[in-house]
Amino acid sequence: MSALEDNVAKLTGYLARFRDAGILNRIGGQDRAGAGGVFQSISPVDKNAICDVAHGTAADIDAAAQAASDAFAPWRDMPAQERKAILIRIAEAIEARAEEIALCECWDTGQAYKFMSKAALRGAENFRYFADQVVQARDGQHLQSPTLMNITTRVPIGPVGVITPWNTPFMLSTWKIAPALAAGCTVVHKPAEASPLTARLLVETAEEAGLPPGVLNVVNGFGEGAGKALCEHRLIRAIAFVGESSTGSLITKQGADTLKRNHLELGGKNPVIVFDDADLERALDAAIFMIYSINGERCTSSSRLLIQDTIREEFEARLVARINAIRVGHPLDPATEIGPLVTQEHFNKVTGYFDIARQEGATIAAGGDVARTDGYFVQPTLFTNATNRMRIAQEEIFGPVLTSIPFATEDEALQIANDVPYGLTGYVWTNDLTRALRVTDRLEAGMIWVNSENVRHLPTPFGGVKASGIGRDGGDWSFEFYMEQKHIGFATGSHRITRLGAG
């Protein structure tokens, strides 16, 4: 039996219960049907239905928010070491189910097993990391003044809503939910309707590891129904969202009447700037990895190649050869590097840019077509002879599509890099240290890597500027979002108090 056949056989076993019973909402530790009936989860691999999914509505969100509110005080007041122990057990339970999570995610999203085999382990790492921060999460400062001993502390903000996307959904869910639970918050999770499987696996795993009922609730549904209701609900104190910039703007409006705190991790049109003094072999590897891995469906992808004109011709030629050798195929085959795009709608969006590129006068140097028709497969694609004014350079395509733009000088590279609505990440390749310092200082991005692809370090801040978002995840920045600052001042003596009405 080949590795592909083995993975398919295992997946068939894992999916059997979903096909029989569907995916129900999980509210207050109980399975519940959706008030809106059901919708179907479709696999992008073969375009067939995986299972029925509970269609949550405002009524389901209201029940979940109430369950999260009821569970909040006991979870908040649980000794920190006990909360920590539960989160560690969740991490261990995720590791034990890593294969099941990875295979289900591949089938649900089209992501290649080559990358998703590590996604569950990264999710476990998120729980383990934030579990280790539980005890000191409330720590504050001692700020002495002439008359007072001022101290600060932090307390959990309350029940929060977490809305996650369909690209690497399990890992991104843990990236939001783990620090919320570590802070002492309870959660209502609304996963993307296109990828509901692993959200169900997460809540099951967490409760089996000892998470009390109601601390994590899952309501499946659509943005205009369940998502809107979650953002507007009076019991939900904050919304953590990952997704498109336009949706982030809508979430801000929906939460305005209840003064929601929002953390928005949004889109990007990220530049990888390659200067002629760079290590071109490593720059080539990194540029290819950051746009064609994860099917190009990642907010941090290096979707614009800014290449110095003195090396452009050679670099693009090597790029074309490498792109044409990328293996597109069945996502459960360990040799596959690009699987199908997640939905018919997204497939149509990405392939639509092939015609846009032609109309704008760019050259399709590689790809630019459908790879196979049994699922939503597209060829890895490279646009050359492009300018930064073209739509292919300004708009987030969110697929395995790279736009190459030449530049002559450092100033021109920076002008092009910054001339987009987004500012999530940037990648700079140069062996000139002073140039690296100048460019990173002027580059408009929340995160920048020099001579590296995106390498996440959990204590560092993750987030963007401009249309790429508001707020930061990671390390103590996550607790700043999920907790409220509190100041207490203790008088250190009998300082003078101004007396009114005393004659």
Side-chain angles (χ1 to χ4, degrees), residues 133-183:
Q133 313 303 311
V134 165
V135 176
Q136 61 263 41
R138 293 191 63 168
D139 287 352
Q141 300 182 59
H142 175 199
L143 304 167
Q144 192 72 32
S145 69
T147 59
L148 295 172
M149 179 180 71
N150 299 283
I151 64 169
T152 66
T153 185
R154 291 187 299 202
V155 295
I157 192 172
V160 300
V162 172
I163 303 175
T164 51
W166 43 255
N167 61 318
T168 61
F170 186 82
M171 191 280 293
L172 287 173
S173 296
T174 64
W175 182 228
K176 298 292 184 183
I177 291 170
L181 299 181

Side-chain angles (χ1 to χ4, degrees), residues 316-496:
E316 287 182 347
R318 296 175 66 188
L319 195 55
V320 168
R322 289 280 296 276
I323 293 169
N324 287 334
I326 292 174
R327 181 165 177 172
V328 180
H330 196 294
L332 298 188
D333 185 342
T336 291
E337 295 171 313
I338 292 181
L341 300 181
V342 66
T343 62
Q344 177 77 61
E345 179 184 15
H346 190 58
F347 173 85
N348 292 343
K349 173 191 172 182
V350 172
T351 55
Y353 279 95
F354 301 159
D355 286 336
I356 291 171
R358 294 185 183 97
Q359 293 162 8
E360 292 184 319
T363 299
I364 299 180
D369 203 350
V370 173
R372 46 193 278 188
T373 58
D374 50 338
Y376 304 128
F377 295 87
V378 300
Q379 296 174 344
T381 297
L382 172 66
F383 300 141
T384 60
N385 296 319
T387 71
N388 205 53
R389 288 292 86 211
M390 295 178 176
R391 289 179 60 190
I392 57 174
Q394 288 289 314
E395 298 175 7
E396 186 179 37
I397 300 173
F398 216 65
V401 180
L402 176 62
T403 300
S404 179
I405 304 168
F407 70 88
T409 66
E410 183 180 308
D411 283 344
E412 185 183 9
L414 279 162
Q415 188 277 324
I416 294 170
N418 292 335
D419 188 21
V420 290
Y422 302 99
L424 187 58
T425 70
Y427 306 89
V428 180
W429 285 87
T430 178
N431 281 320
D432 184 335
L433 175 60
T434 57
R435 169 183 278 163
L437 292 170
R438 290 192 303 270
V439 171
T440 55
D441 183 59
R442 293 173 58 193
L443 192 56
E444 295 173 357
M447 300 171 287
I448 303 170
W449 282 267
V450 178
N451 296 334
S452 176
E453 77 283 27
N454 173 351
V455 179
R456 274 299 289 131
H457 182 50
L458 291 177
T460 60
F462 187 104
V465 300
K466 300 194 292 188
S468 289
I470 299 171
R472 296 294 182 269
D473 275 323
D476 204 53
W477 285 273
S478 292
F479 291 129
E480 284 293 317
F481 176 72
Y482 290 114
M483 304 184 85
E484 294 277 22
Q485 287 282 350
K486 183 180 290 189
H487 161 252
I488 308 103
F490 295 90
T492 55
S494 299
H495 62 277
R496 181 179 180 274

Side-chain angles (χ1 to χ4, degrees), residues 157-371:
I157 192 172
V160 300
V162 172
I163 303 175
T164 51
W166 43 255
N167 61 318
T168 61
F170 186 82
M171 191 280 293
L172 287 173
S173 296
T174 64
W175 182 228
K176 298 292 184 183
I177 291 170
L181 299 181
C185 297
T186 52
V187 175
V188 177
H189 180 202
K190 206 294 281 182
E193 60 271 17
S195 56
L197 293 188
T198 55
R200 175 66 191 198
L201 297 180
L202 177 57
V203 69
E204 284 180 359
T205 302
E207 290 185 355
E208 289 167 5
L211 192 70
V215 174
L216 173 59
N217 308 274
V218 180
V219 177
N220 295 284
F222 296 83
E224 62 270 23
K228 180 175 183 288
L230 184 59
C231 294
E232 293 177 346
H233 203 283
R234 61 183 178 81
L235 292 177
I236 299 298
R237 299 292 305 279
I239 296 289
F241 170 74
V242 185
E244 291 183 335
S245 299
S246 58
T247 308
S249 175
L250 186 61
I251 283 171
T252 302
K253 295 171 186 175
Q254 290 170 345
D257 288 344
T258 52
L259 299 177
K260 287 283 191 301
R261 179 182 294 183
N262 291 307
H263 177 248
L264 307 174
E265 184 186 323
L266 308 176
K269 193 68 176 177
N270 310 298
V272 51
I273 307 173
V274 181
F275 290 97
D276 58 11
D277 66 340
D279 182 331
L280 298 184
E281 188 66 31
R282 289 180 60 78
L284 184 68
D285 287 343
I288 291 170
F289 175 77
M290 283 308 303
I291 184 59
Y292 297 112
S293 63
I294 319 294
N295 296 353
E297 296 167 330
R298 63 196 310 172
C299 57
T300 56
S301 67
S302 53
S303 52
R304 288 184 299 152
L305 169 64
L306 277 52
I307 182 74
Q308 196 153 22
D309 53 11
T310 51
I311 56 171
R312 180 187 65 82
E313 186 174 345
E314 176 191 355
F315 197 87
E316 287 182 347
R318 296 175 66 188
L319 195 55
V320 168
R322 289 280 296 276
I323 293 169
N324 287 334
I326 292 174
R327 181 165 177 172
V328 180
H330 196 294
L332 298 188
D333 185 342
T336 291
E337 295 171 313
I338 292 181
L341 300 181
V342 66
T343 62
Q344 177 77 61
E345 179 184 15
H346 190 58
F347 173 85
N348 292 343
K349 173 191 172 182
V350 172
T351 55
Y353 279 95
F354 301 159
D355 286 336
I356 291 171
R358 294 185 183 97
Q359 293 162 8
E360 292 184 319
T363 299
I364 299 180
D369 203 350
V370 173

